[in-house]
Amino acid sequence: GIQVEQSPPDLILQEGANSTLRCNFSDSVNNLQWFHQNPWGQLINLFYIPSGTKQNGRLSATTVATERYSLLYISSSQTTDSGVYFCAVESKSNYQLIWGAGTKLIIKP
Amino acid sequence: DADVTQTPRNRITKTGKRIMLECSQTKGHDRMYWYRQDPGLGLRLIYYSFDVKDINKGEISDGYSVSRQAQAKFSLSLESAIPNQTALYFCATSGTSGRTYEQYFGPGTRLTVT
């Protein structure tokens, strides 16, 4: 099956710093989504991005489907950005979302 | 009101008991999903349903069953709970066109099996 690898697994930054999170996947997919899980466990969909670049405030994402990777950029980090960021890809064969293990981000004030 | 709700939010049960987790949505989506999350890991798909009459097994369906009572309701049952089913369980929904392919999650149910 499809393998989804996220890097780095952990990231600790000071408030105001910028960061780039990476998601690699092993086969072609229907789409890719980025999620944020806050420290209370709530999962929020950040981007639905099968290809190209999207921006939403301080966050942006780029997916290069032909090279099987996606990047999530967080600029001017705030403490509320802390949590775990997951990418998930939809399999072409059965439409299931396959999840990476996540990047745990801690933003220090 | 939340678009995707789950009940209960927390549950402690004993080995061998039958338990049902319920999910309701007001987003009007056809597709619904049940996932489990274990500490430090991503989500794994248990079951999914693309409409009321279409239910499919996911990656880890053994020990679980589901019922899609209506477009808006999807319940997950553990017929005989075991300790390694202790986890955080999420329900999610998605549509079938455009941006509605995005998955939206409920708040989760924290299940402990003793």
Side-chain angles (χ1 to χ4, degrees):
Chain A
I2 298 175
Q3 304 298 312
V4 181
E5 296 182 352
Q6 292 186 243
S7 59
D10 300 278
L11 189 57
I12 301 174
L13 299 171
Q14 290 296 132
E15 200 168 23
N18 301 328
S19 59
T20 300
L21 282 57
R22 186 176 181 102
C23 174
N24 292 333
F25 46 99
S26 61
D27 203 350
S28 60
V29 297
N30 286 334
N31 66 71
L32 183 144
Q33 301 181 44
W34 283 98
F35 296 86
H36 175 224
Q37 187 170 36
N38 66 24
W40 297 271
Q42 180 67 42
L43 276 160
I44 302 297
N45 193 307
L46 299 175
F47 293 103
Y48 174 90
I49 186 166
S51 63
T53 297
K54 291 186 177 180
Q55 181 153 9
N56 184 2
R58 295 181 295 102
L59 274 61
S60 64
T62 296
T63 297
V64 183
T66 54
E67 297 186 22
R68 299 178 186 166
Y69 74 89
S70 183
L71 301 173
L72 177 69
Y73 306 96
I74 305 173
S75 64
S76 303
S77 298
Q78 300 176 358
T79 55
T80 52
D81 294 330
S82 296
V84 183
Y85 290 81
F86 291 102
C87 76
V89 300
E90 183 179 287
S91 165
K92 283 184 177 290
S93 62
N94 59 19
Y95 306 100
Q96 295 182 28
L97 272 189
I98 310 300
W99 293 66
T103 291
K104 184 175 182 179
L105 177 64
I106 297 174
I107 304 297
K108 293 188 172 183
Chain B
D1 288 340
D3 295 319
V4 185
T5 57
Q6 293 183 232
T7 55
R9 295 292 311 279
N10 291 281
R11 180 74 182 266
I12 301 173
T13 192
K14 294 188 176 183
T15 298
K17 293 292 188 180
R18 184 179 188 276
I19 184 169
M20 178 181 289
L21 309 182
E22 298 185 344
C23 176
S24 295
Q25 53 113 348
T26 59
K27 298 190 73 67
H29 287 165
D30 288 324
R31 298 181 176 185
M32 298 187 73
Y33 311 81
W34 276 105
Y35 293 93
R36 71 175 272 176
Q37 184 181 28
D38 295 283
L41 299 179
L43 277 66
R44 291 184 293 167
L45 185 63
I46 305 172
Y47 271 95
Y48 61 106
S49 170
F50 281 177
D51 65 39
V52 175
K53 296 182 180 180
D54 178 45
I55 294 178
N56 304 280
K57 293 183 177 181
E59 178 188 355
I60 54 164
S61 59
D62 287 349
Y64 302 94
S65 63
V66 292
S67 174
R68 185 82 183 266
Q69 299 94 327
Q71 186 207 34
K73 296 184 182 295
F74 193 35
S75 60
L76 175 72
S77 294
L78 286 68
E79 297 300 326
S80 180
I82 56 177
N84 76 2
Q85 291 177 314
T86 293
L88 185 56
Y89 289 84
F90 287 101
C91 174
T93 74
S94 70
T96 56
S97 63
R99 284 201 61 187
T100 67
Y101 281 119
E102 298 175 21
Q103 289 199 12
Y104 294 89
F105 283 79
T109 294
R110 191 167 298 278
L111 176 66
T112 303
V113 183
T114 61

